[in-house]
Amino acid sequence: MKTAIFGLSRNPCRSTTLLAAAFLNSFSLPAQQPSSNSAEVQREAMRKLSFLAGHWSGPVTIVRGTDEALHLTHIEDVEYKLDGLVLLIEGESTSADGKVLFSALATIAYDDTSHTYHFRAYHDGHYLDTELSVPANGFSWSFTAGPAHIVNTMHLTSKGEWDEVTEAIVGSNPPHRSVEMLLQHKP
């Protein structure tokens, strides 16, 4: 006598057949439901960041501690992926002798359910997930690290340059500017 457990027969062949059928049916179910315009809503939201697409380069100043400033050359390569649903950003800062001193990779995507942009960045074995604000011709994101609140703000200048600053705020102290860069769009 065969007994069923969770709707499956103890017969291995029958169980495998039922699982295979359930698996195949899972692919056909979405096609039977009304189509969603979710992807198109996301693409439309992502078009607000189209000004970022391309290759950018220029000077960056990174301030470590209270006085130590590094003056480097920075590049940002920005391109759409997944048919416009994700923006991929790859940044790299190099010293005068060409040595890479900073590199990061980030993605931006739009969640049409919550109506928010999501920014995920990777650097030096760490990552950050946060919301991204997208005002006209710019973006900003922030996070808290210990006692510091870090705020990163980017906007296009009247000349079409990528102007970005990062500031750290600790307690009631005035903001401390830790990164400042001005990039030009390269064809």
Side-chain angles (χ1 to χ4, degrees):
M1 177 175 161
K2 296 176 187 167
T3 56
I5 299 174
F6 298 105
L8 297 177
S9 166
R10 288 207 177 182
N11 179 336
C13 291
R14 180 162 164 72
S15 295
T16 302
T17 303
L18 288 172
L19 286 173
F23 178 73
L24 291 174
N25 281 338
S26 70
F27 285 110
S28 63
L29 288 177
Q32 296 169 357
Q33 296 175 359
S35 63
S36 168
N37 66 352
S38 178
E40 193 50 45
V41 169
Q42 292 172 35
R43 277 188 198 91
E44 183 62 32
M46 291 300 293
R47 285 185 193 108
K48 292 180 182 178
L49 293 164
S50 64
F51 63 91
L52 291 173
H55 180 78
W56 299 80
S57 67
V60 62
T61 301
I62 301 171
V63 178
R64 296 180 176 174
T66 55
D67 295 326
E68 183 186 351
L70 295 172
H71 301 284
L72 308 170
T73 299
H74 189 78
I75 61 166
E76 294 278 353
D77 286 315
V78 183
E79 62 183 301
Y80 282 102
K81 296 292 186 178
L82 299 176
D83 196 25
L85 293 175
V86 176
L87 201 57
L88 180 68
I89 305 167
E90 188 169 8
E92 186 176 270
S93 295
T94 55
S95 60
D97 63 0
K99 183 178 178 184
V100 176
L101 298 179
F102 172 85
S103 62
L105 183 75
T107 58
I108 299 172
Y110 183 77
D111 180 346
D112 60 312
T113 303
S114 64
H115 306 286
T116 56
Y117 291 87
H118 294 278
F119 178 76
R120 184 169 211 181
Y122 302 86
H123 165 68
D124 202 24
H126 303 283
Y127 71 91
L128 166 72
D129 279 320
T130 190
E131 285 189 22
L132 184 83
S133 173
V134 182
N137 294 319
F139 64 78
S140 67
W141 51 270
S142 65
F143 66 98
T144 300
H149 183 70
I150 312 301
V151 179
N152 185 284
T153 306
M154 178 275 180
H155 73 276
L156 285 182
T157 68
S158 60
K159 295 179 182 179
E161 299 164 311
W162 176 320
D163 184 17
E164 187 169 345
V165 298
T166 303
E167 295 180 321
I169 304 164
V170 179
S172 60
N173 294 321
H176 170 72
R177 188 164 287 189
S178 58
V179 177
E180 197 170 350
M181 68 180 176
L182 188 63
L183 310 178
Q184 288 75 39
H185 193 261
K186 303 295 180 182

